[in-house]
Amino acid sequence: MGAKERFKLNGLPQEAALRLFRQNVGDNVLNSHHEIPKLAEIVAKECDSLPLALVTIGRAMASRTIPEDWRYAINVLKSYPSRFPEMGKYVFPTLRFSYDSLSDDTLRNCFLYCSIFPEDHDISNRELIELWIGERFLDDFDNMYEAQERGRFIINSLKLTWLLEGSYVKDISYEEDHVKMHDVLRDMAHWLAHEHENEILVKEHTGLIKSQEIGRWKEIVRVSLYGDNTQFLIETQVVCPCLQTIFVIGSKLLRTLPGTLFQSIHTLIVLNLSNNRNLRELPVEIGALISLRYLNLSETCVNNLPIEVKNLTQLRILLLDEMMSEQVVIPLGVISSLSSLEMYSSIEYYFRCKIDMKLMIEELECLEKITDVGLTFSSVSPVLKFMCL
């Protein structure tokens, strides 16, 4: 419209949001059962102060006088908002205009990808750009530096269209380092991803994942599992032909991953196992992930990478930051085998080797090549050590 000034219009305050929602539900319904007023507050909260959602969902519930209907609506809005008919019919198509107005498919893919994180998650800009690179969204650049610059430009573009917003994180007084998605925009992103056959599954408070559940992932492209109690019990190999991305984050119980899981997902390109502080080892079957481009083991207790990691010749990003172990042992020959590696980040690591100066030199040359172009986040030379057997 040629506006000379731009300013942020915040969502409605909590009291005003509830008042708007109640107006659209109507007093007859609110007074029809003693439980409904409290349930209405929960439904209104799921609309996250967005007037469009408050009006639409309020009108949809205007004839619902049975508490069970309200509980069902709450469960749907919390877990699968796109299954709520009015969301897909009125709310998402209206919000979609901002998505459709993005200048190219790269921006659209990057926006949809942000919904792989849980609700209200503060997303690190650096982590997000690394993941976009791993996902091949930024492949049209000659080097990692240019891809990172493009990633920063995309984040700013999504913020300018209000599809992302800056996020204040504890101990950080500015917004440049983190972003987050509005809950309703995140729901819309899941709806759009499903529409484009690029489905994203996000599960919080995850418990035991069994073979039967993984068997239902056959059409899922990206899976994100968050929770203290995440574990796997996979007794039989399960085929997931579309699966490209797995996040397993924040488990206190996870000590290893079953090899059968990796044998089931040859299409995997991103594996994020960060912040599993009791994860101690990787199965040798990780070598079967020959398409893997991004591997994050930061904040885990893994102290010995299996030699089979050398099979991951497509790997571009390997992250071993803030490891719980005193040392991370990398078998000699692994780094030099990772011919596509462009970003390596670690606090301290060791090479386990026999006395083989030729291989030592090859490893050093590979690491120096990476650091020479400024692609790592920590210096290599002060912490490089060899463990001679």
PDB file of all heavy atoms in Angstrom, residues 56-57 81-94 191 195:
ATOM      1  N   THR A  56     -13.319 -17.293  14.324  1.00  0.00           N
ATOM      2  CA  THR A  56     -13.664 -18.489  13.554  1.00  0.00           C
ATOM      3  C   THR A  56     -13.976 -19.669  14.464  1.00  0.00           C
ATOM      4  O   THR A  56     -15.009 -20.345  14.305  1.00  0.00           O
ATOM      5  CB  THR A  56     -12.511 -18.850  12.596  1.00  0.00           C
ATOM      6  OG1 THR A  56     -12.274 -17.746  11.718  1.00  0.00           O
ATOM      7  CG2 THR A  56     -12.856 -20.083  11.786  1.00  0.00           C
ATOM      8  N   ILE A  57     -13.099 -19.932  15.420  1.00  0.00           N
ATOM      9  CA  ILE A  57     -13.307 -21.074  16.318  1.00  0.00           C
ATOM     10  C   ILE A  57     -14.485 -20.801  17.252  1.00  0.00           C
ATOM     11  O   ILE A  57     -15.277 -21.704  17.564  1.00  0.00           O
ATOM     12  CB  ILE A  57     -12.041 -21.384  17.124  1.00  0.00           C
ATOM     13  CG1 ILE A  57     -10.870 -21.666  16.173  1.00  0.00           C
ATOM     14  CG2 ILE A  57     -12.258 -22.580  18.042  1.00  0.00           C
ATOM     15  CD1 ILE A  57     -11.112 -22.793  15.204  1.00  0.00           C
ATOM     16  N   PRO A  81      -4.354 -29.255  14.520  1.00  0.00           N
ATOM     17  CA  PRO A  81      -5.275 -28.133  14.269  1.00  0.00           C
ATOM     18  C   PRO A  81      -5.892 -28.163  12.873  1.00  0.00           C
ATOM     19  O   PRO A  81      -7.024 -27.707  12.685  1.00  0.00           O
ATOM     20  CB  PRO A  81      -4.387 -26.899  14.454  1.00  0.00           C
ATOM     21  CG  PRO A  81      -3.262 -27.369  15.304  1.00  0.00           C
ATOM     22  CD  PRO A  81      -3.033 -28.789  14.935  1.00  0.00           C
ATOM     23  N   SER A  82      -5.154 -28.684  11.892  1.00  0.00           N
ATOM     24  CA  SER A  82      -5.691 -28.678  10.531  1.00  0.00           C
ATOM     25  C   SER A  82      -6.904 -29.587  10.380  1.00  0.00           C
ATOM     26  O   SER A  82      -7.655 -29.473   9.412  1.00  0.00           O
ATOM     27  CB  SER A  82      -4.599 -29.109   9.543  1.00  0.00           C
ATOM     28  OG  SER A  82      -4.137 -30.412   9.837  1.00  0.00           O
ATOM     29  N   ARG A  83      -7.118 -30.495  11.346  1.00  0.00           N
ATOM     30  CA  ARG A  83      -8.289 -31.365  11.297  1.00  0.00           C
ATOM     31  C   ARG A  83      -9.547 -30.668  11.812  1.00  0.00           C
ATOM     32  O   ARG A  83     -10.640 -31.195  11.689  1.00  0.00           O
ATOM     33  CB  ARG A  83      -8.033 -32.635  12.136  1.00  0.00           C
ATOM     34  CG  ARG A  83      -6.945 -33.526  11.550  1.00  0.00           C
ATOM     35  CD  ARG A  83      -6.774 -34.782  12.379  1.00  0.00           C
ATOM     36  NE  ARG A  83      -5.673 -35.597  11.875  1.00  0.00           N
ATOM     37  CZ  ARG A  83      -5.253 -36.710  12.460  1.00  0.00           C
ATOM     38  NH1 ARG A  83      -5.839 -37.136  13.573  1.00  0.00           N
ATOM     39  NH2 ARG A  83      -4.241 -37.400  11.951  1.00  0.00           N
ATOM     40  N   PHE A  84      -9.366 -29.486  12.393  1.00  0.00           N
ATOM     41  CA  PHE A  84     -10.523 -28.697  12.814  1.00  0.00           C
ATOM     42  C   PHE A  84     -11.060 -28.017  11.557  1.00  0.00           C
ATOM     43  O   PHE A  84     -10.387 -27.156  10.987  1.00  0.00           O
ATOM     44  CB  PHE A  84     -10.107 -27.670  13.864  1.00  0.00           C
ATOM     45  CG  PHE A  84     -11.233 -27.196  14.722  1.00  0.00           C
ATOM     46  CD1 PHE A  84     -11.515 -27.798  15.920  1.00  0.00           C
ATOM     47  CD2 PHE A  84     -12.031 -26.123  14.317  1.00  0.00           C
ATOM     48  CE1 PHE A  84     -12.547 -27.361  16.728  1.00  0.00           C
ATOM     49  CE2 PHE A  84     -13.073 -25.682  15.103  1.00  0.00           C
ATOM     50  CZ  PHE A  84     -13.333 -26.305  16.312  1.00  0.00           C
ATOM     51  N   PRO A  85     -12.236 -28.382  11.074  1.00  0.00           N
ATOM     52  CA  PRO A  85     -12.697 -27.950   9.741  1.00  0.00           C
ATOM     53  C   PRO A  85     -12.601 -26.455   9.507  1.00  0.00           C
ATOM     54  O   PRO A  85     -12.185 -26.012   8.432  1.00  0.00           O
ATOM     55  CB  PRO A  85     -14.153 -28.438   9.693  1.00  0.00           C
ATOM     56  CG  PRO A  85     -14.205 -29.579  10.660  1.00  0.00           C
ATOM     57  CD  PRO A  85     -13.245 -29.229  11.756  1.00  0.00           C
ATOM     58  N   GLU A  86     -12.978 -25.667  10.508  1.00  0.00           N
ATOM     59  CA  GLU A  86     -13.012 -24.213  10.308  1.00  0.00           C
ATOM     60  C   GLU A  86     -11.610 -23.624  10.137  1.00  0.00           C
ATOM     61  O   GLU A  86     -11.440 -22.585   9.488  1.00  0.00           O
ATOM     62  CB  GLU A  86     -13.725 -23.542  11.479  1.00  0.00           C
ATOM     63  CG  GLU A  86     -15.248 -23.678  11.444  1.00  0.00           C
ATOM     64  CD  GLU A  86     -15.709 -25.097  11.756  1.00  0.00           C
ATOM     65  OE1 GLU A  86     -14.909 -25.884  12.311  1.00  0.00           O
ATOM     66  OE2 GLU A  86     -16.873 -25.418  11.456  1.00  0.00           O
ATOM     67  N   MET A  87     -10.592 -24.268  10.742  1.00  0.00           N
ATOM     68  CA  MET A  87      -9.222 -23.768  10.577  1.00  0.00           C
ATOM     69  C   MET A  87      -8.795 -23.883   9.116  1.00  0.00           C
ATOM     70  O   MET A  87      -8.256 -22.943   8.528  1.00  0.00           O
ATOM     71  CB  MET A  87      -8.265 -24.561  11.476  1.00  0.00           C
ATOM     72  CG  MET A  87      -8.488 -24.353  12.969  1.00  0.00           C
ATOM     73  SD  MET A  87      -8.064 -22.684  13.533  1.00  0.00           S
ATOM     74  CE  MET A  87      -6.280 -22.816  13.625  1.00  0.00           C
ATOM     75  N   GLY A  88      -9.035 -25.065   8.520  1.00  0.00           N
ATOM     76  CA  GLY A  88      -8.648 -25.267   7.130  1.00  0.00           C
ATOM     77  C   GLY A  88      -9.517 -24.512   6.146  1.00  0.00           C
ATOM     78  O   GLY A  88      -9.098 -24.238   5.017  1.00  0.00           O
ATOM     79  N   LYS A  89     -10.737 -24.156   6.569  1.00  0.00           N
ATOM     80  CA  LYS A  89     -11.665 -23.496   5.653  1.00  0.00           C
ATOM     81  C   LYS A  89     -11.553 -21.978   5.684  1.00  0.00           C
ATOM     82  O   LYS A  89     -11.688 -21.303   4.648  1.00  0.00           O
ATOM     83  CB  LYS A  89     -13.097 -23.920   5.997  1.00  0.00           C
ATOM     84  CG  LYS A  89     -14.141 -23.464   4.993  1.00  0.00           C
ATOM     85  CD  LYS A  89     -15.510 -24.037   5.340  1.00  0.00           C
ATOM     86  CE  LYS A  89     -16.571 -23.605   4.336  1.00  0.00           C
ATOM     87  NZ  LYS A  89     -17.910 -24.153   4.660  1.00  0.00           N
ATOM     88  N   TYR A  90     -11.303 -21.411   6.884  1.00  0.00           N
ATOM     89  CA  TYR A  90     -11.340 -19.949   7.017  1.00  0.00           C
ATOM     90  C   TYR A  90     -10.007 -19.339   7.458  1.00  0.00           C
ATOM     91  O   TYR A  90      -9.575 -18.321   6.909  1.00  0.00           O
ATOM     92  CB  TYR A  90     -12.419 -19.542   8.030  1.00  0.00           C
ATOM     93  CG  TYR A  90     -13.814 -19.966   7.630  1.00  0.00           C
ATOM     94  CD1 TYR A  90     -14.470 -20.975   8.325  1.00  0.00           C
ATOM     95  CD2 TYR A  90     -14.470 -19.373   6.559  1.00  0.00           C
ATOM     96  CE1 TYR A  90     -15.750 -21.384   7.974  1.00  0.00           C
ATOM     97  CE2 TYR A  90     -15.746 -19.768   6.185  1.00  0.00           C
ATOM     98  CZ  TYR A  90     -16.387 -20.777   6.907  1.00  0.00           C
ATOM     99  OH  TYR A  90     -17.644 -21.176   6.543  1.00  0.00           O
ATOM    100  N   VAL A  91      -9.363 -19.932   8.465  1.00  0.00           N
ATOM    101  CA  VAL A  91      -8.185 -19.293   9.064  1.00  0.00           C
ATOM    102  C   VAL A  91      -6.948 -19.456   8.184  1.00  0.00           C
ATOM    103  O   VAL A  91      -6.329 -18.477   7.770  1.00  0.00           O
ATOM    104  CB  VAL A  91      -7.917 -19.861  10.478  1.00  0.00           C
ATOM    105  CG1 VAL A  91      -6.651 -19.230  11.071  1.00  0.00           C
ATOM    106  CG2 VAL A  91      -9.109 -19.576  11.384  1.00  0.00           C
ATOM    107  N   PHE A  92      -6.575 -20.708   7.877  1.00  0.00           N
ATOM    108  CA  PHE A  92      -5.348 -20.936   7.134  1.00  0.00           C
ATOM    109  C   PHE A  92      -5.355 -20.320   5.745  1.00  0.00           C
ATOM    110  O   PHE A  92      -4.348 -19.725   5.334  1.00  0.00           O
ATOM    111  CB  PHE A  92      -5.051 -22.442   7.046  1.00  0.00           C
ATOM    112  CG  PHE A  92      -4.770 -23.083   8.382  1.00  0.00           C
ATOM    113  CD1 PHE A  92      -4.968 -24.435   8.575  1.00  0.00           C
ATOM    114  CD2 PHE A  92      -4.300 -22.337   9.454  1.00  0.00           C
ATOM    115  CE1 PHE A  92      -4.698 -25.038   9.793  1.00  0.00           C
ATOM    116  CE2 PHE A  92      -4.039 -22.928  10.684  1.00  0.00           C
ATOM    117  CZ  PHE A  92      -4.242 -24.282  10.847  1.00  0.00           C
ATOM    118  N   PRO A  93      -6.449 -20.426   4.969  1.00  0.00           N
ATOM    119  CA  PRO A  93      -6.430 -19.794   3.640  1.00  0.00           C
ATOM    120  C   PRO A  93      -6.211 -18.290   3.695  1.00  0.00           C
ATOM    121  O   PRO A  93      -5.588 -17.713   2.797  1.00  0.00           O
ATOM    122  CB  PRO A  93      -7.819 -20.130   3.076  1.00  0.00           C
ATOM    123  CG  PRO A  93      -8.196 -21.401   3.767  1.00  0.00           C
ATOM    124  CD  PRO A  93      -7.666 -21.244   5.159  1.00  0.00           C
ATOM    125  N   THR A  94      -6.724 -17.634   4.736  1.00  0.00           N
ATOM    126  CA  THR A  94      -6.518 -16.180   4.870  1.00  0.00           C
ATOM    127  C   THR A  94      -5.061 -15.871   5.175  1.00  0.00           C
ATOM    128  O   THR A  94      -4.449 -14.988   4.559  1.00  0.00           O
ATOM    129  CB  THR A  94      -7.419 -15.624   5.975  1.00  0.00           C
ATOM    130  OG1 THR A  94      -8.787 -15.943   5.674  1.00  0.00           O
ATOM    131  CG2 THR A  94      -7.268 -14.120   6.094  1.00  0.00           C
ATOM    132  N   TRP A 191      -0.188 -27.606   7.988  1.00  0.00           N
ATOM    133  CA  TRP A 191      -1.275 -27.814   7.021  1.00  0.00           C
ATOM    134  C   TRP A 191      -0.751 -27.719   5.598  1.00  0.00           C
ATOM    135  O   TRP A 191      -1.060 -28.551   4.739  1.00  0.00           O
ATOM    136  CB  TRP A 191      -2.361 -26.776   7.292  1.00  0.00           C
ATOM    137  CG  TRP A 191      -3.497 -26.727   6.336  1.00  0.00           C
ATOM    138  CD1 TRP A 191      -4.478 -27.651   6.163  1.00  0.00           C
ATOM    139  CD2 TRP A 191      -3.805 -25.653   5.419  1.00  0.00           C
ATOM    140  NE1 TRP A 191      -5.379 -27.230   5.207  1.00  0.00           N
ATOM    141  CE2 TRP A 191      -4.994 -26.008   4.732  1.00  0.00           C
ATOM    142  CE3 TRP A 191      -3.206 -24.433   5.129  1.00  0.00           C
ATOM    143  CZ2 TRP A 191      -5.570 -25.181   3.775  1.00  0.00           C
ATOM    144  CZ3 TRP A 191      -3.777 -23.615   4.174  1.00  0.00           C
ATOM    145  CH2 TRP A 191      -4.948 -23.988   3.510  1.00  0.00           C
ATOM    146  N   GLU A 195      -0.315 -30.522   2.612  1.00  0.00           N
ATOM    147  CA  GLU A 195      -0.912 -30.281   1.286  1.00  0.00           C
ATOM    148  C   GLU A 195       0.110 -30.511   0.181  1.00  0.00           C
ATOM    149  O   GLU A 195      -0.226 -30.985  -0.907  1.00  0.00           O
ATOM    150  CB  GLU A 195      -1.435 -28.840   1.232  1.00  0.00           C
ATOM    151  CG  GLU A 195      -2.157 -28.484  -0.040  1.00  0.00           C
ATOM    152  CD  GLU A 195      -2.654 -27.046  -0.018  1.00  0.00           C
ATOM    153  OE1 GLU A 195      -1.881 -26.157  -0.423  1.00  0.00           O
ATOM    154  OE2 GLU A 195      -3.797 -26.814   0.408  1.00  0.00           O
TER     155      GLU A 195
END
